[in-house]
Amino acid sequence: MATSWESLLQDEQQLEELARQAVDRALAEGVLLRTSQEPSSSDVVSYAPFTLFPSVVPGALMEQAYAVQMDFNLLVDAVSQNAAFLQQTLSSTIKRDDFTARLFDIHKQVLKEGIAQTVFLGLNRSDYMFQRSANGCPALKQIEINTISASFGGLASRTPAVHRHVLNVLNKTKEAAKILSNNPSKGLAMGIAKAWELYGSANALVLLIAQEKERNIFDQRAIENELLARNIHMIRRRFEDVSAKGSLDQDRRLFLEGQEVAVVYFRDGYMPSQYSVQNWEARLLLERSRAVKCPDIATQLAGTKKVQQELSRVGMLEMLLPDQPEAVARLRATFAGLYSLDMGEEGDRAITEALAAPSRFVLKPQREGGGNNLYGEKMVQALEQLKDSEERASYILMEKIEPEPFWNCLLRPGSPAQVVQCVSELGIFGVYVRQGKTLVMNKHVGHLLRTKAIEHADGGVAAGVAVLDNPYTV
């Protein structure tokens, strides 16, 4: 799938000049991150890493990914409402994985007290790679679905202009016009706005739970700005602020610093290191409240790797989405091989297969945030250690997706332009809003393409491995 600019990757002088132009355009468009030296300040910022050229994506797979997103929204929502399914699916994991167990404890407490929340909001991103096949036709295979803090919807809306600019500089105006417009932040804000409206209190705020050191603040500001354009105000606070100044009234309405909160949008709280004892207490307070959480605790649990693996079992999709055979077929077509490592014959068999052919598998813990998966020799070492221990139940095994590599040029602050063999990962953003049992919104709202050098097995843009990109559909 060669492009008309592939030959330019050999021309070092022209690449350097193009890279300078691209970086300046990225800065002008707001494709920005705070620096790792000053992650809490916007006094000095830099451009977010990106590819010099857009990368080729098969148009049919792009369409397929968009078409299945509303099915994934329905599926996540169905899982989050099925307490028995979550209990059964995570029963072995919570014995061995402390973080999932803590989340599950809050889920149980909220169920026991009775859920005060009546409006539910899902902002998720389903991520895929393109599996190469013997007949030359790549297949769309899901890596994971992110149900909490799905990021880069803001920056992804700023990068199309950069790649159009690069192609226009090269007099490739027809190709430049083919780069899709994309504005996930607008769609994500639309979901938050709908939830805020259904909550029904005109003076209530949206609360974004932020990390103390947040390099990716401009991505979040994009959503905040879209909300402000609708006259909805968002405040940024940390778990510690909720702990110190948050309270519930007798109707379990959430107040922070004396102001009612309609929607809580988590951009923190997806990794164990983000929780102190105080932060866990703050999370429980938020979950007990009437405010719309994005996500509520059940939806965060619905995004765990263990749930992903269980959903691939025969009959599970049919049980969760009854009388929807077309949706089930679309979903199942995107599943890669997923295997349980629970104690017993099935888990033993999966480990034996992985040890016999390690290059075909990935070992995944129940973690978000990138950089957690184990491959190759590291996976073999881990499996040898885990195989006789119940701790193995806190992992799942997944078939390794093998995309066709291609050449592109990666631009990073402080590094020379780097022409390398790459692979891409396509994410589709989904938004749904439910009031009681009625789904009032179910949409796909844009995409994110991230590209990385083939030697980097794992990790995203925030983890410093992948860079932002745009699909050039063929």
Side-chain angles (χ1 to χ4, degrees):
M1 289 194 288
T3 53
S4 59
W5 51 84
E6 206 162 279
S7 57
L8 297 170
L9 293 168
Q10 273 79 54
D11 185 339
E12 211 170 300
Q13 212 175 343
Q14 191 172 14
L15 275 189
E16 273 182 27
E17 174 52 32
L18 262 182
R20 280 196 289 272
Q21 293 228 25
V23 164
D24 286 347
R25 187 60 190 251
L27 289 162
E29 290 293 337
V31 184
L32 302 170
L33 287 175
R34 287 174 171 172
T35 64
S36 47
Q37 293 79 21
E38 294 283 344
S40 304
S41 164
S42 298
D43 287 353
V44 180
V45 299
S46 191
Y47 64 91
F50 66 101
T51 57
L52 181 55
F53 299 108
S55 295
V56 168
V57 167
L61 298 192
M62 187 92 177
E63 283 174 31
Q64 183 190 352
Y66 265 104
V68 75
Q69 185 56 43
M70 282 140 79
D71 303 321
F72 271 114
N73 291 346
L74 286 176
L75 181 60
V76 168
D77 190 41
V79 170
S80 75
Q81 294 177 77
N82 195 321
F85 174 78
L86 283 173
Q87 169 78 52
Q88 191 181 346
T89 298
L90 295 171
S91 58
S92 56
T93 307
I94 58 182
K95 285 184 191 138
R96 291 289 155 204
D97 187 276
D98 185 52
F99 180 61
T100 311
R102 298 291 294 266
L103 293 171
F104 198 80
D105 276 347
I106 292 178
H107 172 59
K108 280 198 306 202
Q109 278 175 267
V110 170
L111 283 179
K112 191 176 174 187
E113 186 179 12
I115 298 171
Q117 184 176 343
T118 57
V119 178
F120 297 83
L121 167 65
L123 304 181
N124 61 56
R125 195 188 70 229
S126 184
D127 292 337
Y128 306 91
M129 277 184 159
F130 313 121
Q131 173 76 47
R132 61 176 156 198
S133 57
N135 65 6
C137 286
L140 185 77
K141 291 295 166 190
Q142 189 189 47
I143 297 160
E144 63 178 356
I145 190 156
N146 303 279
T147 63
I148 180 168
S149 191
S151 58
F152 290 108
L155 296 192
S157 58
R158 309 289 165 93
T159 54
V162 180
H163 281 144
R164 286 190 196 118
H165 178 76
V166 169
L167 295 181
N168 282 327
V169 167
L170 294 167
N171 278 320
K172 298 187 183 295
T173 49
K174 278 218 300 279
E175 290 89 340
K178 274 190 70 178
I179 290 175
L180 303 165
S181 289
N182 184 34
N183 197 349
S185 51
K186 188 172 186 164
L188 298 170
M190 184 175 59
I192 294 173
K194 188 68 183 170
W196 176 87
E197 177 198 316
L198 292 172
Y199 180 85
S201 177
N203 297 319
L205 301 170
V206 175
L207 165 65
L208 183 146
I209 298 290
Q211 298 181 36
E212 181 187 7
K213 294 176 178 172
E214 182 52 85
R215 292 187 63 202
N216 199 19
I217 189 158
F218 303 103
D219 185 55
Q220 300 171 9
R221 293 286 192 207
I223 297 170
E224 185 179 341
N225 296 341
E226 291 280 355
L227 288 171
L228 200 54
R230 296 165 176 263
N231 207 19
I232 299 169
H233 290 259
M234 178 188 270
I235 57 170
R236 299 173 60 83
R237 297 290 185 272
R238 291 165 50 209
F239 277 124
E240 288 82 348
D241 300 314
V242 174
S243 192
K245 302 170 195 161
S247 62
L248 306 186
D249 72 3
Q250 70 275 18
D251 299 321
R252 282 200 269 163
R253 290 183 305 176
L254 175 65
F255 288 84
L256 187 62
E257 298 162 17
Q259 291 184 284
E260 188 174 359
V261 174
V263 179
V264 180
Y265 175 36
F266 290 101
R267 292 296 292 252
D268 191 10
Y270 49 87
M271 295 197 290
S273 60
Q274 295 166 337
Y275 286 93
S276 60
V277 173
Q278 187 184 22
N279 291 10
W280 281 116
E281 286 168 5
R283 182 69 192 265
L284 177 60
L285 181 83
L286 295 171
E287 291 301 327
R288 291 181 55 235
S289 79
R290 231 191 85 186
V292 183
K293 270 75 66 184
C294 178
D296 65 302
I297 202 100
T299 305
Q300 182 170 351
L301 290 167
T304 53
K305 307 292 183 288
K306 183 62 186 173
V307 166
Q308 182 188 9
Q309 175 257 306
E310 279 300 304
L311 290 173
S312 70
R313 281 192 195 278
V314 177
M316 280 299 173
L317 292 180
E318 289 83 352
M319 183 270 287
L320 289 156
L321 299 174
D323 309 318
Q324 297 186 62
E326 293 94 347
V328 165
R330 283 190 296 266
L331 289 162
R332 192 160 281 138
T334 69
F335 288 174
L338 292 148
Y339 309 94
S340 167
L341 294 184
D342 287 358
M343 298 306 279
E345 199 180 318
E346 183 189 9
D348 291 347
R349 203 164 48 237
I351 288 171
T352 304
E353 271 191 52
L355 290 173
S359 63
R360 287 181 37 225
F361 297 93
V362 185
L363 186 64
K364 293 189 163 191
Q366 313 299 316
R367 291 288 174 273
E368 299 303 323
N372 303 298
N373 300 334
L374 297 173
Y375 301 79
E377 192 47 47
K378 283 184 177 168
M379 180 189 76
V380 170
Q381 286 169 5
L383 284 176
E384 290 288 5
Q385 277 181 324
L386 288 166
K387 64 181 182 185
D388 299 320
S389 157
E390 287 191 359
E391 200 190 323
R392 74 188 208 187
S394 63
Y395 293 79
I396 66 159
L397 200 61
M398 184 172 171
E399 170 196 355
K400 191 175 175 203
I401 301 166
E402 297 278 6
E404 192 67 54
F406 57 88
W407 293 92
N408 205 331
C409 177
L410 309 186
L411 304 178
R412 298 176 189 281
S415 302
Q418 200 188 5
V419 177
V420 286
Q421 274 205 298
C422 305
V423 292
S424 288
E425 191 173 313
L426 173 69
I428 306 290
F429 291 95
V431 174
Y432 64 87
V433 179
R434 172 167 53 81
Q435 187 171 32
K437 292 285 176 196
T438 311
L439 205 63
V440 291
M441 184 184 285
N442 183 11
K443 293 180 181 292
H444 50 65
V445 296
H447 55 267
L448 168 69
L449 193 71
R450 290 168 299 173
T451 293
K452 57 189 168 191
I454 49 175
E455 69 261 26
H456 292 301
D458 190 28
V461 181
V465 174
V467 308
L468 299 169
D469 197 349
N470 277 290
Y472 184 80
T473 52
V474 294

